[in-house]
């Protein structure tokens, strides 16, 4: 048996339409309760799986040991652990129906029976991001959190020189790279530019996750809510207030998921 304690909430505890996102009313329901911190949420529209990384909070708080984390797939309400690697982040290539899992020992793809198959690299990859409308794939490497564009065919990688580091990252369809570095700021490196632009008005050390919605909008989850980061405006647009600290966010059409300590919530629009 797994030495793992989780409680499944089978009947969704949906509240009424009191949550406002982007001027629209939403319901919020808890879809998973699990021991640890679920983060790096990614939705796969083909399989309807929600992928996430589960961080062990005891090792996160203990400075003397390396933080333990595992990659999971949430399928029909049940969390499935990918147990043949130390998974740290996932990305979905929707067009080609490929699920990538980054681990402390390179890049993997998930096969049909939920096993990770190593496809290249030996690096400790902590973040991975796949824009949907290009063949590019971006990776953030331990220990300095530098950002690389991967060339999977030749197993090569090219450093993005103008980004010092990234703890969260998203790349829009136009190749603009949104990131947060050392909890200091949220910036965008516009395609073809040398210098990043900093977003204003966000509290320091508040950015927690960033994701693309289905309209090619970059949505930041921060300690006080959700913001739309536009490439042509330094002032983010606030779309939602949150009364808990988010850890991950992923979109599925008009629906979206937000994780926090021991929980994943789903938000659905009311009509
Ligand atoms: C619906 O909203 C009202 C007013 O905010 C609240 O009192 C009530 O408990 C809510 N119902 C549920 C099921 O959450
Ligand atoms: C939408 O949410 C607001 C704020 O919580 C609430 O006052 C309003 O009744 C909601 N509207 C509907 C149609 O549920
Ligand atoms: C997935 O990979 C595992 C481990 O290599 C293998 O045993 C299994 O047969 C593979 N499943 C499929 C459907 O290819």
């Amino acid at each position: 048996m797994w030495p793992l304690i989780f409680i499944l909430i089978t009947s969704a505890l949906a509240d009424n339409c009191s949550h406002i996102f982007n001027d629209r009313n939403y319901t919020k329901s808890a879809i998973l309760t699990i021991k640890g911190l679920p983060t790096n949420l990614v939705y796969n529209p083909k399989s309807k799986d929600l992928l996430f990384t589960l961080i062990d909070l005891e090792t996160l708080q203990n400075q003397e040991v390396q933080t333990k984390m595992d990659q999971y797939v949430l399928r029909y309400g049940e969390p499935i652990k990918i147990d043949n690697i130390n998974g740290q982040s996932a990305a979905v290539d929707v067009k080609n129906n490929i699920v990538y899992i980054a681990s402390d020992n390179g890049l993997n793809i998930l096969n049909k029976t939920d096993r990770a198959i190593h496809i290249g690299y030996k690096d400790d990859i902590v973040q991975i991001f796949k824009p949907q409308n290009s063949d590019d794939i971006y990776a953030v490497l331990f220990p300095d959190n530098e950002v690389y564009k991967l060339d999977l065919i030749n197993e090569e990688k090219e450093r993005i020189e103008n980004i010092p580091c990234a703890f969260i990252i998203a790349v829009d369809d136009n190749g603009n790279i949104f990131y947060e570095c050392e909890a200091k700021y949220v910036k965008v490196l516009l395609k073809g530019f040398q210098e990043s632009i900093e977003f204003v008005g966000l509290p320091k050390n508040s950015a927690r996750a960033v994701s693309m919605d289905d309209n090619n909008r970059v949505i930041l989850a921060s300690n006080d809510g959700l913001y739309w980061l536009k490439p042509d405006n330094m002032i983010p647009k606030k779309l939602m207030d949150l009364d808990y600290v988010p850890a991950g966010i992923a979109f599925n059409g008009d629906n979206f998921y937000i994780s926090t300590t021991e929980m994943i919530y789903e938000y659905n629009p009311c009509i």
Side-chain angles (χ1 to χ4, degrees), residues 51 197 246:
L51 297 121
I197 300 163

Side-chain angles (χ1 to χ4, degrees), residues 82-96:
I82 310 304
D83 58 6
N84 67 327
I85 48 156
N86 296 319
Q88 308 191 123
S89 175
V92 179
D93 180 343
V94 178
K95 211 163 41 178
N96 299 304

Side-chain angles (χ1 to χ4, degrees), residues 14-18:
D15 54 11
N16 47 30
C17 302
S18 58

Side-chain angles (χ1 to χ4, degrees), residues 42 44 51 71 85 88-94 96-103 106-110 116-117 119 121 128-130 135-138 150 152:
V42 186
N44 183 347
L51 297 121
Q71 182 63 44
I85 48 156
Q88 308 191 123
S89 175
V92 179
D93 180 343
V94 178
N96 299 304
N97 200 14
I98 300 170
V99 176
Y100 293 101
I101 310 282
S103 77
L107 190 62
N108 309 269
I109 59 171
L110 205 57
I117 311 292
I119 58 158
Y121 304 95
I128 187 164
F129 188 84
K130 175 86 191 71
D135 291 328
D136 296 336
I137 183 158
Y138 295 84
L150 303 183
L152 299 189

